[in-house]
Amino acid sequence: MKTTRQTIVFDAADIETESRFWAEVLEGQVVGDAEWKSVRTAEGVVSVGVQLAPQHRPSRWPEEPARSHLDLWVTDRALAHQEVLAHGARLVREAEAEDNFNVYASPAGNIFCLVWPVD
C-alpha cells in the first residue's frame, strides 16, 4: 500500500474553537469550511484535521481509556506547558517520578501529551 499523506483528525462539536486551538499550539493556519478544518504549517503541511461531530463528548480519561492521542515532543517543557494552557488546554495528569510526559485535554476534550527527552 502506498499512502500519500497521514493526518490525525480530531472530532469536535465546536469546530471553530478546536481548530483555532490546534493552529495556535502548532503555529499553523486554519483552512476549511463549517464541517472540516485543516491546520497547515507555514510550509503548507497539514498537521492535523478537525471535523465537525455535533455529538462529540470530551474524553473521560483516565476513567475511560483514550482511543488515540497525539504526542507533541518539546524541547522546553515548562514553556510548552504554559503555552498550551494559555491556548485553552487543561492539564489532566502531571508527570510523576521518572515520567517524561504530561497529559492534557484540548478545548473539545481530546487527549494529547507533551513529551520531552529523558536526560
Side-chain angles (χ1 to χ4, degrees), residues 58-59 61 84-85 88-93 103-107 109 111-112:
S59 173
W61 188 91
V84 298
L85 294 178
R90 177 176 52 86
L91 178 64
V92 175
R93 180 182 170 273
V103 181
Y104 300 84
S106 71
I111 299 299
F112 69 98

Side-chain angles (χ1 to χ4, degrees), residues 6-21:
Q6 302 81 39
T7 305
I8 189 162
V9 179
F10 295 105
D11 290 346
D14 181 349
I15 191 173
E16 297 297 330
T17 299
E18 188 73 356
S19 59
R20 187 173 44 253
F21 168 78

